């Protein structure tokens, strides 16, 4: 498949929602010690950053670009490309070089049988599970996990406090989520395997976006798969169902990069961002885009400037 063919496929897939998707244990700024590779690539020819098609991942992609540009690395951002099923092959094939990922979700995508849950354990498991030619860099403080959410009214009607409670109403409830969640472990399959939950219907909507949140508000779905950094959860007083059996792994933001571009300049720049960006700040950046309707690139650049991340760095 040539470059034009693959990129055409990426553009066509941009409407397919993605799952996301996301402190402590961060490695030193030299970027060594917890990645999956030696960092022997070269960023001299520039780095192309791809993102999934949801707000937060796009913001992260532009943040990556901001810190890399400050380090003297020319960047191109290709936002809104689609799901991992699109992004990982594009990364392996050379159409993109770097993308923002989330530890637990990526690990479950690569190894559905993995039981790793602690951040360091997941980092090691990812290094083993990744295809040849790819590596993860040190994970950052910011985290964005999956959540299964119900309205306060639904929680009271069915007595829902945890994911385990859903099984008491098998065949009655409707879940709404991105299409791929139907077949993922952190999704309908995992809820059935771990908690014995059978839904009456799975509605394919979007990733913590207006479709699934609108359906939850209207009562068209009883349970929605959202992201924990989604400000609409608190704004609408929705209930996040607890996860007593730890179906949902930790989701620290972690850069996934091709070996060919993973030089020390790139590693240090992304480690600087990881050591600054917090979950609360990432949540606020999402709000600025989703609620205030600001451009993701402008939001990312403003944040990077405000936090001293755009100052030119020595290679």
């Amino acid at each position: 498949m040539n470059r034009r063919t693959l990129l055409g496929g990426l553009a066509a897939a941009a409407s397919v929602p993605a799952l996301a998707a996301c402190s402590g244990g961060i490695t030193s700024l030299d970027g060594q010690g917890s990645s999956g590779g030696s960092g022997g690539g070269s960023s001299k020819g520039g780095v192309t950053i791809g993102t999934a098609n949801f707000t937060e991942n796009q913001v992260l992609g532009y943040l990556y670009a901001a810190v890399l540009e400050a380090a003297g690395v020319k960047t191109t951002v290709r936002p809104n490309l689609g799901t991992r099923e699109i992004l990982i092959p594009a990364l392996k094939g050379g159409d993109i070089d770097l993308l923002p990922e989330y530890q637990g979700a990526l690990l479950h995508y690569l190894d559905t049988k993995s039981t790793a849950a602690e951040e360091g354990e997941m980092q090691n498991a990812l290094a083993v599970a990744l295809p040849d030619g790819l590596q993860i860099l040190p994970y950052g403080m910011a985290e964005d996990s999956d959540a299964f959410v119900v309205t306060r009214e639904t929680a009271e009607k069915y007595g829902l406090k945890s994911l385990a409670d859903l099984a008491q109403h098998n065949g009655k409830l409707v879940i709404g989520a991105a299409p791929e969640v139907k077949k993922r472990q952190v999704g309908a399959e995992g809820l059935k395997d771990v908690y014995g939950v059978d839904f009456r219907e799975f509605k394919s909507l979007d990733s913590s976006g207006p479709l699934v949140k609108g359906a939850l508000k209207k009562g068209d779905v009883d349970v929605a798969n959202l992201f924990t950094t989604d400000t609409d959860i608190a704004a609408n007083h929705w209930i996040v169902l607890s996860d007593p059996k730890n179906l949902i792994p930790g989701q620290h933001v972690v850069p996934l990069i091709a070996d060919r571009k993973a030089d020390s300049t790139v590693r240090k720049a992304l480690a600087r961002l990881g050591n600054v960006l917090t979950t609360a700040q990432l949540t606020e950046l999402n709000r600025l885009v989703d609620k205030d309707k600001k451009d993701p690139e402008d939001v990312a650049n403003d944040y990077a400037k405000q936090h001293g991340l755009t100052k030119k760095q020595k290679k």
Side-chain angles (χ1 to χ4, degrees), residues 59 62-63 65-66 295-306 310:
V59 171
Y62 286 116
L63 284 171
D295 182 79
E297 184 174 8
D298 293 339
V299 167
N301 288 337
D302 288 346
Y303 174 89
K305 184 176 180 180
Q306 292 167 8
T310 55

Side-chain angles (χ1 to χ4, degrees), residues 39-102:
S42 173
S43 61
K44 289 183 178 180
V47 172
T48 299
I49 303 162
T51 84
N53 57 335
F54 58 93
T55 295
E56 180 177 287
N57 210 250
Q58 293 175 46
V59 171
L60 286 167
Y62 286 116
L63 284 171
Y64 284 8
V67 297
L68 289 175
E69 291 280 353
V73 178
K74 183 179 179 181
T75 64
T76 300
V77 179
R78 296 186 180 276
N80 206 37
L81 295 180
T83 65
R84 289 185 185 87
E85 289 78 3
I86 298 294
L87 290 165
I88 301 300
L91 185 61
K92 292 170 62 178
D95 291 277
I96 58 175
D97 304 308
L98 169 67
L99 61 95
E101 262 293 357
Y102 304 86

Side-chain angles (χ1 to χ4, degrees), residues 97-291:
D97 304 308
L98 169 67
L99 61 95
E101 262 293 357
Y102 304 86
Q103 280 185 314
L106 178 60
L107 180 57
H108 276 201
Y109 171 79
L110 295 169
D111 181 4
T112 58
K113 296 181 179 180
S114 177
T115 58
E118 185 272 330
E119 291 90 343
E121 185 182 19
M122 284 193 290
Q123 197 80 344
N124 291 334
L126 278 168
V128 172
L130 280 172
D132 290 343
L134 305 184
Q135 63 179 273
I136 48 167
L137 302 185
Y139 64 89
M141 290 190 294
E143 182 174 11
D144 180 8
S145 186
D146 286 277
F148 293 95
V149 176
V150 298
T151 63
R152 190 171 296 277
E153 292 75 16
T154 297
E156 292 174 354
K157 179 179 179 179
Y158 294 103
L160 302 176
K161 294 182 179 179
S162 78
L163 296 177
D165 297 330
L166 294 172
Q168 299 175 24
H169 308 283
N170 278 348
K172 299 178 181 178
L173 304 178
V174 177
I175 183 173
E180 64 272 14
V181 176
K182 186 174 184 178
K183 296 295 184 180
R184 286 187 172 169
Q185 184 66 14
V186 183
E189 284 197 357
L191 287 169
K192 183 173 183 178
D193 293 342
V194 176
Y195 287 104
V197 179
D198 280 307
F199 291 101
R200 176 166 62 87
E201 183 183 355
F202 181 99
K203 286 195 174 183
S204 296
L205 299 168
D206 54 10
S207 293
S208 208
L211 296 181
V212 69
K213 288 185 283 188
L216 186 64
K217 286 181 181 179
K218 293 177 183 177
D220 293 337
V221 302
D222 303 297
V223 183
N225 176 219
L226 305 182
F227 303 145
T228 54
T229 55
D230 195 319
T231 56
D232 277 330
I233 295 176
N236 289 283
H237 307 290
W238 290 333
I239 306 298
V240 175
L241 299 177
S242 65
D243 181 20
K245 294 185 178 180
N246 299 315
L247 168 67
I248 304 169
Q251 303 281 21
H252 285 277
V253 175
V254 62
L256 177 61
I257 189 169
D259 290 346
R260 60 185 176 270
K261 296 293 182 178
D263 62 15
S264 62
T265 301
V266 170
R267 296 161 71 86
K268 289 177 182 178
L270 295 176
R272 287 184 68 230
L273 174 63
N275 283 333
V276 172
L277 181 66
T278 67
T279 300
Q281 290 168 351
L282 185 55
T283 302
E284 173 60 13
L285 297 182
N286 290 339
R287 187 194 67 79
L288 290 172
V289 176
D290 289 336
K291 297 300 181 184

Side-chain angles (χ1 to χ4, degrees), residues 13-36:
S15 62
V16 182
L19 175 67
C22 353
S23 342
I26 302 167
T27 60
S28 61
L29 291 182
D30 63 5
Q32 303 296 324
S34 70
S35 71

